[in-house]
Amino acid sequence: MRFDVVTLFPEMFPGYLSQSILNKSIEAGLIDVRLHDLRDWSKEKHKNVDDRPYGGGPGMVLMVEPVVECVESIRSERPLARTILLTPQGEKLTQRKVESLSDNEDFIFLCGRYEGFDQRVVDILQPEEISIGDFVLNGGEVAAMVLIDTLIRMVPGVLGDENSSIQDSFSSGNRMLEFSQYTRPREYRGFSVPEILLSGNHGKIREWREQESLKRTKERRADLLPSVESSDKDIEPRNKK
Ligand code: ADE
């Protein structure tokens, strides 16, 4: 899977990209992330890429030319890339959305700053607009990292066990929250590991974990349970091809 990220702040990414799963996937050739500094596409003497909005008002707007020309040059190399603009105005990201996006091999992410992009960026490039939630970030970079983080989990070989993303909470085949996990020590400050987990009885352990998941889901996210009228009724199992 390849990600071309258009940003004013490429230096935000290397720390993130060097974390273990991502770094290993990049080294294994499963993931490729290319950073494009928008300033390199500026036509201004001082490499500006933003200007005051026509009609007045606070803040600065990202100019149309550098963004369009940068994306067009990426598209000439990756003609099938899906272009996504990160904005709080976009469709809200869900695991289902991640799953549907993961059919694509190539992505172009546009990270905005300031008061957003000149509308003609959207008119000309026709990107899909995605929000990672109903809150406002200082820019699209963190949102792009969130998308990369969730998408790479869908790439075969990225997670040690190929099935593990299917078991993730919120994936289409699993609408339950995770059960509680424990490791050593068996007791800490009077809090003990549940006996059942030490029993070696795998059937009983599986049952206990299912109950735990169900209890937690009921308490915290009853909307995920099938008995509740939900807008996710049409979810299909993943990987049915
Ligand atoms: N840019 C600023 N806020 C954002 C959000 N919530 N999601 C995606 N991009 C953003």
Side-chain angles (χ1 to χ4, degrees):
M1 198 173 266
R2 169 160 157 166
F3 303 97
D4 284 89
V5 183
V6 178
T7 169
L8 274 166
F9 297 96
E11 62 277 14
M12 286 177 72
F13 287 82
Y16 166 62
L17 296 176
S18 63
Q19 61 95 355
S20 75
I21 291 183
L22 204 39
N23 187 40
K24 277 193 207 126
S25 315
I26 291 170
E27 300 218 314
L30 297 169
I31 304 294
D32 188 358
V33 184
R34 310 282 175 107
L35 302 169
H36 304 267
D37 188 339
L38 206 44
R39 275 190 189 74
D40 294 342
W41 292 85
S42 170
K43 296 208 160 86
E44 309 284 307
K45 204 163 87 191
H46 299 293
K47 297 267 173 210
N48 291 349
V49 287
D50 59 327
D51 209 342
R52 284 165 297 156
Y54 279 121
M60 301 288 266
V61 176
L62 288 169
M63 297 162 95
V64 61
E65 286 164 291
V67 183
V68 166
E69 288 169 27
C70 176
V71 170
E72 281 176 348
S73 103
I74 301 167
R75 282 181 175 172
S76 69
E77 245 186 78
R78 315 298 290 183
L80 300 178
R82 195 137 166 183
T83 308
I84 294 176
L85 187 152
L86 286 317
T87 164
Q89 270 87 247
E91 176 186 345
K92 209 191 289 178
L93 188 66
T94 59
Q95 190 64 29
R96 178 154 59 149
K97 181 71 187 172
V98 172
E99 286 170 15
S100 79
L101 288 172
S102 69
D103 289 341
N104 297 269
E105 204 31 57
D106 298 339
F107 294 90
I108 301 170
F109 290 153
L110 300 181
C111 305
R113 285 265 152 177
Y114 313 120
E115 299 306 306
F117 293 92
D118 185 308
Q119 177 57 33
R120 291 166 293 181
V121 166
V122 175
D123 299 339
I124 294 168
L125 297 174
Q126 307 262 310
E128 203 167 328
E129 298 182 54
I130 291 186
S131 162
I132 62 160
D134 290 340
F135 41 80
V136 181
L137 302 165
N138 290 320
E141 286 78 8
V142 171
M145 291 181 211
V146 167
L147 254 182
I148 293 173
D149 221 79
T150 54
L151 279 166
I152 64 164
R153 298 176 65 78
M154 302 292 149
V155 176
V158 163
L159 302 179
D161 168 4
E162 261 206 37
N163 290 323
S164 43
S165 76
I166 298 170
Q167 283 149 23
D168 282 348
S169 290
F170 310 112
S171 75
S172 306
N174 177 24
R175 310 284 292 155
M176 295 282 201
L177 300 184
E178 305 285 336
F179 48 78
S180 318
Q181 296 272 29
Y182 297 86
T183 186
R184 290 185 305 125
R186 279 169 71 154
E187 191 175 316
Y188 183 66
R189 298 192 183 182
F191 290 84
S192 304
V193 177
E195 278 302 315
I196 188 87
L197 298 178
L198 311 170
S199 68
N201 183 333
H202 295 294
K204 287 262 182 254
I205 291 173
R206 196 177 324 112
E207 218 173 273
W208 181 86
R209 286 179 165 166
E210 280 167 9
Q211 288 305 317
E212 272 273 298
S213 276
L214 183 61
K215 184 165 153 262
R216 188 175 274 191
T217 311
K218 266 188 193 154
E219 281 168 6
R220 301 184 187 183
R221 291 295 308 272
D223 58 302
L224 295 176
L225 296 170
S227 56
V228 173
E229 271 302 307
S230 95
S231 58
D232 285 341
K233 276 189 292 235
D234 53 341
I235 278 182
E236 291 179 352
R238 287 190 69 227
N239 298 344
K240 68 180 167 65
K241 314 184 247 237

